[in-house]
Amino acid sequence: MTKLTVINNSISEQPTMTSLEMVDYINADRKATAESVGGKFPSKEHPKLQHKHFLKKAPKVLGENQSANFSSDYIDNKGRSYPCFKFPKREACLMAMSYSYELQAQVFDHMTELEAESGFGFTIQQLQHMLAVARKASDEDSSDAGRRLRKRQDDLAILNRAEKLIGDISQMALGLVGGGKLLSHEK
């Protein structure tokens, strides 16, 4: 994979995949495809994707206005700054799907793994389940009175805050996309 330092990170804290990483995935997929049929990589039948071509395709796939939301820069190993994109899961999958469904599956799995590692990708139901398990453990732990009473009080404060936060998240309007802009499908 390409090593880089990304700057201008204005995207949220959710896991992202850079356009350079996407190009690496695409080229690895093309290489595997070429080798599976006894071909060479790169070749005329299995060309190597250049980052500059990927950058040109992103606005076509995501839309001019939408792709600009994911613009970033990176510093190469010589200290030079170049443009790139930083995509959250949805956009990374859309870009991958524009090349192949198999590649989309690889990118989806990679992004899901990153979400799980960061704790970002839990569903409301998963969060509610984790909260219920934590509350049950705290209830069972509090049965040894005295020294555990104080711990139980601390646990309850944290559990109540978590419960409120999960409740608030579950009530959010999920129709909001792209920084609060509602998208319409009118022509």
Side-chain angles (χ1 to χ4, degrees):
M1 292 287 168
T2 304
K3 300 289 184 204
L4 63 120
T5 302
V6 177
I7 55 179
N8 278 350
N9 184 8
S10 60
I11 310 289
S12 68
E13 296 297 320
Q14 66 182 314
T16 58
M17 191 169 187
T18 67
S19 51
L20 290 158
E21 292 170 309
M22 298 274 316
V23 169
D24 285 344
Y25 263 79
I26 293 164
N27 284 327
D29 184 61
R30 288 180 176 186
K31 182 178 181 182
T33 301
E35 290 173 353
S36 73
V37 295
K40 290 186 176 187
F41 179 81
S43 65
K44 187 175 182 178
E45 297 81 24
H46 306 282
K48 184 174 183 177
L49 178 64
Q50 294 181 12
H51 186 247
K52 65 183 179 182
H53 296 134
F54 184 91
L55 292 178
K56 288 180 184 176
K57 187 172 185 176
K60 293 175 187 170
V61 173
L62 302 175
E64 290 287 334
N65 294 334
Q66 197 64 5
S67 66
N69 293 330
F70 309 106
S71 292
S72 193
D73 295 295
Y74 74 96
I75 306 292
D76 73 1
N77 56 5
K78 295 181 181 177
R80 298 174 294 195
S81 177
Y82 291 101
C84 71
F85 287 105
K86 282 189 72 176
F87 299 119
K89 187 177 190 175
R90 178 182 179 275
E91 285 71 18
C93 289
L94 288 171
M95 287 302 300
M97 187 172 42
S98 74
Y99 289 93
S100 76
Y101 293 123
E102 292 80 15
L103 184 63
Q104 180 193 11
Q106 291 174 20
V107 169
F108 179 86
D109 291 345
H110 175 71
M111 294 298 293
T112 300
E113 183 179 310
L114 289 177
E115 288 174 339
E117 288 172 4
S118 70
F120 189 85
F122 294 111
T123 66
I124 299 298
Q125 291 79 13
Q126 289 170 321
L127 290 171
Q128 289 169 335
H129 175 70
M130 288 187 288
L131 179 63
V133 169
R135 188 173 291 280
K136 181 178 179 190
S138 180
D139 289 345
E140 291 169 358
D141 194 37
S142 69
S143 64
D144 182 14
R147 67 180 173 84
R148 295 193 181 180
L149 181 58
R150 178 67 190 145
K151 185 178 180 326
R152 170 70 172 159
Q153 291 169 339
D154 293 341
D155 286 351
L156 284 176
I158 292 168
L159 290 168
N160 287 336
R161 282 191 303 229
E163 193 169 50
K164 181 180 180 337
L165 180 61
I166 293 169
D168 291 347
I169 291 171
S170 69
Q171 299 300 315
M172 291 175 72
L174 298 179
L176 297 177
V177 178
K181 299 175 189 164
L182 287 176
L183 301 177
S184 67
H185 296 285
E186 299 173 14
K187 290 188 177 186

